Amino acid sequence: MAEQLIGAMSMTWDPSEFHDTFQEKVAALIEAKKAGETVEKAEPAPEPTGVVDLMEALRASVERAGSPKATAGKATASGKGSGSAKSTGKPPAKKRIRSAPKEDLSGLSKADLYRKAAAANLPGRSQMTRDDLVKALTRA
């Protein structure tokens, strides 16, 4: 069966059927430059597709796992805490979190916005457009 498949897909290779389009384009550009014509610049690179940066996701996950918030409950539950909450009978005081001034996100690239969204653990960020990321980060 494999031999039949290979036989059906095989063909004789004739190099004259193929040509190098890149080389043709470069030669055309050189000729245009020699003739004094203006040469158009290449098309800009396509926008990033929102591919997940696995290293950044792993780094954020490790940071969350090692954060004081995540380990504080574990330390007191195992009896390795400072013991101040047990001696007074009161729960530890809550820290006030002051909101940081909102930064201007309009100048950042989509990749930078995605990194910030990953650090903020925003759900659905891989399907968001650049504008969606800006809106979600300003709300967060």
Side-chain angles (χ1 to χ4, degrees):
M1 187 193 269
E3 289 176 353
Q4 287 177 343
L5 179 63
I6 292 170
M9 296 182 76
S10 65
M11 60 180 229
T12 57
W13 186 68
D14 183 14
S16 64
E17 292 179 7
F18 301 94
H19 59 280
D20 187 359
T21 58
F22 180 77
Q23 185 178 5
E24 291 172 359
K25 289 179 183 179
V26 171
L29 286 173
I30 291 171
E31 291 301 318
K33 225 24 179 170
K34 281 182 184 177
E37 297 175 16
T38 57
V39 178
E40 295 180 24
K41 292 185 177 182
E43 296 177 7
E47 287 290 319
T49 59
V51 175
V52 177
D53 182 2
L54 294 178
M55 286 304 294
E56 187 62 35
L58 178 61
R59 189 174 297 118
S61 174
V62 169
E63 286 174 6
R64 280 193 309 274
S67 71
K69 277 186 177 179
T71 57
K74 294 177 185 175
T76 57
S78 64
K80 296 180 183 177
S82 63
S84 62
K86 289 182 181 180
S87 63
T88 62
K90 295 181 182 177
K94 294 182 180 178
K95 293 183 180 180
R96 288 189 180 192
I97 300 173
R98 295 183 183 161
S99 63
K102 299 289 182 182
E103 66 177 296
D104 184 24
L105 301 172
S106 62
L108 297 177
S109 69
K110 184 177 179 183
D112 293 333
L113 291 168
Y114 184 82
R115 280 190 216 99
K116 287 190 173 291
N121 201 19
L122 288 176
R125 62 188 172 268
S126 63
Q127 281 80 30
M128 291 184 184
T129 64
R130 184 185 178 285
D131 294 332
D132 293 338
L133 286 168
V134 170
K135 289 176 189 173
L137 286 169
T138 53
R139 283 182 280 176

